[in-house]
Amino acid sequence: EINQQKNGLQLLVGLYRAFTFGLTFLLYTSFHLSRKPISIVKANVALHHQWILFNRNNYKQLLGAMDYSFLCAYAIGMYLSGIIGERLPIRLYLTVGMLTSGLFTCLFGLGYVYDVHSLGFYIFVQVANGLVQTTGWPSVVTCIGNWFGKGRRGLIMGLWNSHTSVGNILGSLIAGYYVSSNWGLSFIVPGVIIAAMGVICFLFLIEHWSNDAENSLLLGQESIGVCVPVQQVVVVKSEAEPSAISFMGALRIPGVVEFSLCLLFAKLVSYTFLFWLPLYITKAAHLDAKKAGDLSTLFDVGGIVGGILAGVLSDKMGKRATTCAVMLLLAAPTLYGFSMMSQFGLGPTIGMLLVCGGLVNGPYALITTAVSADLGTHKSLKGNARALSTVTAIIDGTGSVGAAVGPLLAGLLSAQGWDQVFYMLMTADFLALLVS
């Protein structure tokens, strides 16, 4: 009978872990799904100049400014988000962020419906959306870190982090479907999706399982101050709960500063591709906006494989930094080859997109997931799991500074030729290698 209870409890925990894995995967997929449309619409504006606001001479700089406004707000907000998130219920914090993000994403699309040509309106929406989207990453990483231990963390989080690429792919396909006929729906549909996922988050997200209670029940022992009803899973806290870590305390954890700087340059490269790849393909391969958007999804397919591969290799070697360094080293010549895409046929271009996506997004995925979770549960914290959200926010916030700078520089440099953009990307890749 005792063995049956143990097996039943283990099965219950396993089911809830699988459910949390799938739910948080879908939740953050919707975040990236709602960020992607602007890069698809941008390519359409570049070809057809549907926005009167953007004239033929400076539309790249203006579009770059809108990218920058979102990413700059996201970077600044991220530093605060982790600190706030550790002091509020994750489920409620994440729900509010998703509902408001859906609102602002829809507002951007409504600018087309109501014929708004005010740059100030679009920048306000981008800034507001950037701020509320910072609720997402620290929340889901903390949640998944609570449910899964360090065993095979690289593989598990490598698989889980493919939500980034899946969201980008779905966002590209949805935006591409509407971009030529009604680009407002390219934003409104993703906005509705992320808001709907926010409701699902509120109804079903379970923040963590009490390990103390699990261990005591499995061992058949009593635990003081801990109670887990079998009928439902609830968030359980012991009487002496550790306090949340301070910002400076998180910075003092070994490896946080180094990996934050590495992510700054790695994310600069990744987000430049995220926001500018469809437009580059329209120019280099002479394709329309929809075909360029569809082709750009191959970069994200490569990113899925790269993220999983980075996780598996880092688990086997036990060296996250070495894995990042090797992939960054291999990415540099791939970026150079990608800059000559216009000279290739369709076949080599597809191969280059897949390889480049894997090598660029592999280190980025590893640092933002497994590395952040490792550092957030570092032995120097003496078991204080409440540092995870703050550490995640610091690392991703620093990376988001690079994500803000990259697309802005791409908008400025592309006026001088796309070669300049790729030289900037290769420089950033080399700097990421140096600090890894």
Side-chain angles (χ1 to χ4, degrees):
E1 184 178 349
I2 294 176
N3 287 334
Q4 289 179 344
Q5 290 179 347
K6 290 179 181 178
N7 292 336
L9 181 61
Q10 288 175 332
L11 177 62
L12 180 64
V13 174
L15 288 174
Y16 273 108
R17 279 182 177 149
F19 175 77
T20 304
F21 182 97
L23 179 58
T24 53
F25 182 97
L26 293 175
L27 292 179
Y28 209 73
T29 294
S30 67
F31 273 93
H32 263 266
L33 181 150
S34 67
R35 294 177 197 171
K36 185 64 178 179
I38 193 168
S39 67
I40 306 300
V41 173
K42 181 190 300 180
N44 187 56
V45 171
L47 291 173
H48 306 293
H49 307 289
Q50 289 184 343
W51 291 357
I52 299 172
L53 169 67
F54 305 132
N55 62 51
R56 294 175 182 271
N57 297 321
N58 69 341
Y59 69 87
K60 288 183 181 179
Q61 289 78 7
L62 292 172
L63 288 167
M66 283 204 293
D67 293 343
Y68 184 72
S69 61
F70 172 89
L71 293 168
C72 190
Y74 185 87
I76 294 170
M78 184 60 74
Y79 288 110
L80 299 174
S81 181
I83 297 172
I84 296 171
E86 285 192 350
R87 290 158 175 81
L88 295 174
I90 291 175
R91 181 172 64 93
L92 297 179
Y93 187 56
L94 188 55
T95 297
V96 171
M98 296 183 77
L99 290 174
T100 51
S101 180
L103 170 65
F104 289 120
T105 303
C106 288
L107 277 178
F108 199 104
L110 289 173
Y112 173 86
V113 176
Y114 292 101
D115 201 29
V116 177
H117 295 290
S118 168
L119 180 63
F121 169 80
Y122 292 107
I123 287 183
F124 166 76
V125 171
Q126 286 288 80
V127 169
N129 202 11
L131 289 173
V132 298
Q133 285 230 347
T134 61
T135 60
W137 190 242
S139 299
V140 294
V141 172
T142 299
C143 193
I144 203 76
N146 288 338
W147 279 93
F148 293 90
K150 291 188 176 181
R152 295 188 300 170
R153 178 172 276 171
L155 171 61
I156 291 170
M157 288 200 158
L159 289 167
W160 177 75
N161 192 64
S162 62
H163 54 50
T164 299
S165 296
V166 171
N168 290 341
I169 291 169
L170 292 175
S172 296
L173 295 176
I174 292 171
Y177 182 81
Y178 295 108
V179 67
S180 298
S181 57
N182 182 348
W183 65 257
L185 290 175
S186 297
F187 291 91
I188 293 171
V189 173
V192 171
I193 290 173
I194 190 173
M197 290 304 299
V199 175
I200 292 173
C201 170
F202 177 76
L203 294 175
F204 299 108
L205 183 66
I206 301 164
E207 297 180 20
H208 65 77
W209 175 272
S210 171
N211 289 326
D212 291 339
E214 178 185 340
N215 292 335
S216 67
L217 287 170
L218 288 173
L219 294 173
Q221 299 173 346
E222 293 183 359
S223 176
I224 299 174
V226 180
C227 178
V228 180
V230 176
Q231 290 81 2
Q232 61 180 359
V233 177
V234 297
V235 177
V236 180
K237 298 181 181 179
S238 62
E239 292 180 359
E241 184 174 324
S243 60
I245 195 171
S246 67
F247 184 86
M248 294 307 298
L251 284 178
R252 285 193 288 268
I253 298 172
V256 168
V257 173
E258 293 87 344
F259 277 109
S260 295
L261 292 174
C262 181
L263 185 62
L264 186 151
F265 296 111
K267 204 167 180 178
L268 183 153
V269 177
S270 181
Y271 265 65
T272 300
F273 274 97
L274 173 67
F275 281 89
W276 285 94
L277 181 57
L279 179 59
Y280 172 68
I281 292 175
T282 62
K283 296 297 183 183
H286 307 292
L287 299 175
D288 62 36
K290 185 180 185 306
K291 290 180 180 178
D294 292 344
L295 192 59
S296 71
T297 61
L298 294 174
F299 182 84
D300 294 298
V301 172
I304 294 173
V305 177
I308 296 172
L309 182 62
V312 171
L313 292 176
S314 69
D315 279 344
K316 288 187 176 295
M317 296 190 300
K319 297 179 179 178
R320 313 279 195 210
T322 302
T323 304
C324 290
V326 171
M327 297 188 82
L328 289 167
L329 183 63
L330 294 174
T334 309
L335 287 169
Y336 179 74
F338 201 90
S339 68
M340 299 184 292
M341 189 181 78
S342 60
Q343 302 175 24
F344 303 143
L346 183 61
T349 296
I350 291 173
M352 192 68 69
L353 282 165
L354 292 169
V355 173
C356 194
L359 294 175
V360 167
N361 284 337
Y364 162 40
L366 185 63
I367 294 171
T368 54
T369 54
V371 170
S372 294
D374 288 347
L375 295 176
T377 55
H378 194 269
K379 60 183 180 181
S380 65
L381 297 170
K382 300 178 182 179
N384 182 1
R386 296 193 67 189
L388 184 53
S389 181
T390 299
V391 169
T392 301
I394 289 173
I395 293 175
D396 197 50
T398 305
S400 297
V401 173
V405 172
L408 177 67
L409 291 176
L412 297 173
L413 294 173
S414 61
Q416 304 171 29
W418 287 102
D419 287 346
Q420 301 299 317
V421 175
F422 283 97
Y423 291 146
M424 179 266 290
L425 295 177
M426 285 185 280
T427 301
D429 181 79
F430 178 71
L431 291 173
L433 177 62
L434 283 181
V435 297
S436 64

